[in-house]
Each structure stands twice: as structure tokens, then as C-alpha cells.
Amino acid sequence: MPSLPRLFSARRWRLTSGLVLFAYISGHLINHALGLLSLERAEAMLRVSMAIWQSRPGTILLYGSALLHFSLALRSIYIRHDWRFPFVEIVRFWAGFSLPLLLIGHIAVTRLTLALYDVKPDYAGIVSSIVAGGSQEWQIALLAPGWLHGCLGLWISLRHFVLMRRLQPLLIAGMIALPILSAAGFLAMSREVETMGLVAALRDGAQEALAVERRAELTTWKRDMTIGYLAIVILALLLGPIRRGVLRSRAA
């Protein structure tokens, strides 16, 4: 049994919170991929996902894990001394810190479509609003950095196990295949809702429903969130060297 300090170490908390976020992202990718079978299959999976993640325990677990994981990422920047990374670590860092930037844009678009079209929480409404808004490329690309970050993080944490090394080719194939299937499923659902006429209905009513002041408000919200996120990351980068300088001066 590990000792209490090891049990509650930052590394274990980072892995635990990362697993929760990885499960959430994986569920989204699988849900999109089910669109290759039918919109109804994707809808059924969405209802199961919503029952889990939109419940009170699921919401606390998801957002608590996201906050904890981001806080630990900032901590790793703050305390890091050596910035020479292996290539895998560079890709993992890039994927992890670029994900919130994509999420901010996605949330702004989602809030705009909800405000304009009163979208219901089902795939027919969600996919229709995204296609009508011309943001399907963002939707396809949104989960890729989080998926890549999670896969690399899991590999770095578990690569010392013999079984993981034996399964490496299969794991690499899965890492590549699931996002491709997810993108294909989303495109299949996009074509299906266009055939149903839902996208045209949204586009026809867009100009009448569009409020310029509301769009400006959401654009400002997106800008402020982006600036706030970048300011926090830059602050962690700047405070790290200051901390190391103070520690060196005290040691001298």
C-alpha cells in the first residue's frame, strides 16, 4: 500500500482528474461516432451521457476534475526548473493548454445558438445549429487536443507496465481511429439533419432572430475569457522565475 503522502501526491491527483476528463472526452467521441449508424443511436447514447454528467454528482466530479487538473498544470509551470522537454511532452503541453482556447470559442458559439434558436439538448437540434452557424469544423476539431493530451498523458504514466508496451501498436491505432470515426459520424449526422430540413429552417429564421447587441455581448465575453485564460498562464510563467530567484537569494 502506498503511504499517505504518495497517495495524495500531485501526480496521483493529476492522473485521477485526467482520467475523469478523458472519460468525458472519450464519451463525446464515441457519441459522435455512433452517428455513422444513425442519428437515433447517437441520441440514445446522448441521453445516457447527460444522465451521468448532468447529474449533481457527475457535474461536481467533472467540473471539479477540470479545475483541479488545470490548477495542477499551472503548478507544474510555476515550479518547473528545466524547460528542456522530450518531443512527446511538448506535444502534450501544447494539446493541454490549447484545449481551453478552443473550448472558450465553442462555448461562445453554443451560447449564441442557444440564445438565437432555443436549441433543445438533443443531437438533431445541436447538430442543426452548429451546421447552420457554419462552425462544424470547430466542432470536429474541438475534442482532438483533449483526446491527444489524454492519450499521451496516460501513456507517459503507464508506459512502464509491460502490458502497456505490448499493447502499444493497438493503442496507437485506437488513438488515431476514434477521432476519425467521430468526425465521420458528425458529418453523417450533419447530412442527415440537412436532409430533414432542420438546417434550412434555422438559416431562414436566423436574420430575423439575430440581435446585434447580443452577438456583440457574446463576442466581448469570448474575448474577456480568452484574455483571462492567457493572463493566468502567463502569470504562472512569470512567477516561476521570480520564485526561483527568491529561493536562490535565500540559499546564498
Side-chain angles (χ1 to χ4, degrees):
M1 291 291 292
S3 62
L4 280 179
R6 288 186 59 195
L7 185 63
F8 293 100
S9 66
R11 185 166 178 250
R12 287 181 179 272
W13 281 116
R14 184 168 58 248
L15 178 60
T16 302
S17 60
L19 285 172
V20 173
L21 297 175
F22 190 70
Y24 179 76
I25 292 173
S26 300
H28 266 64
L29 291 171
I30 293 171
N31 217 156
H32 286 355
L34 286 174
L36 287 170
L37 301 178
S38 68
L39 185 61
E40 289 74 17
R41 296 284 182 90
E43 294 278 15
M45 180 67 179
L46 178 63
R47 288 193 290 271
V48 174
S49 179
M50 289 174 60
I52 296 172
W53 296 113
Q54 292 189 3
S55 66
R56 186 179 297 274
T59 299
I60 294 173
L61 181 63
L62 177 61
Y63 287 100
S65 297
L67 180 60
L68 177 60
H69 204 70
F70 180 58
S71 300
L72 291 173
L74 292 176
R75 175 182 177 273
S76 69
I77 291 177
Y78 175 68
I79 66 174
R80 180 170 289 276
H81 292 271
D82 186 4
W83 287 93
R84 292 172 297 180
F85 291 115
F87 178 73
V88 172
E89 284 281 5
I90 294 173
V91 174
R92 187 171 71 93
F93 261 68
W94 164 81
F97 282 101
S98 65
L99 177 61
L101 291 175
L102 291 172
L103 283 174
I104 289 170
H106 174 68
I107 291 170
V109 170
T110 302
R111 286 189 60 182
L112 180 61
T113 54
L114 283 171
L116 295 179
Y117 309 131
D118 191 26
V119 178
K120 296 178 181 179
D122 56 46
Y123 258 122
I126 293 170
V127 175
S128 299
S129 65
I130 291 172
V131 175
S135 57
Q136 54 266 44
E137 294 84 3
W138 279 104
Q139 179 65 26
I140 292 172
L142 176 64
L143 299 175
W147 171 253
L148 180 60
H149 176 76
C151 289
L152 293 178
L154 281 176
W155 173 252
I156 290 171
S157 299
L158 304 176
R159 61 186 171 182
H160 304 293
F161 292 95
V162 176
L163 178 61
M164 293 296 291
R165 292 199 296 271
R166 289 177 178 173
L167 293 176
Q168 185 179 10
L170 183 62
L171 296 174
I172 292 174
M175 182 181 71
I176 297 171
L178 185 55
I180 293 174
L181 292 174
S182 175
F186 186 84
L187 292 175
M189 289 188 291
S190 300
R191 290 192 294 269
E192 189 169 348
V193 295
E194 285 184 326
T195 302
M196 295 165 63
L198 298 177
V199 177
L202 287 178
R203 284 173 176 162
D204 290 342
Q207 293 301 319
E208 181 180 352
L210 183 60
V212 175
E213 62 276 7
R214 177 167 290 175
R215 184 167 61 180
E217 178 186 352
L218 290 171
T219 300
T220 302
W221 178 84
K222 176 184 174 181
R223 182 200 63 199
D224 292 345
M225 287 286 289
T226 302
I227 292 174
Y229 168 73
L230 293 175
I232 292 172
V233 174
I234 292 172
L235 184 63
L237 287 168
L238 293 176
L239 289 178
I242 294 174
R243 168 183 172 272
R244 292 192 292 273
V246 170
L247 292 176
R248 282 195 297 267
S249 64
R250 287 179 179 177

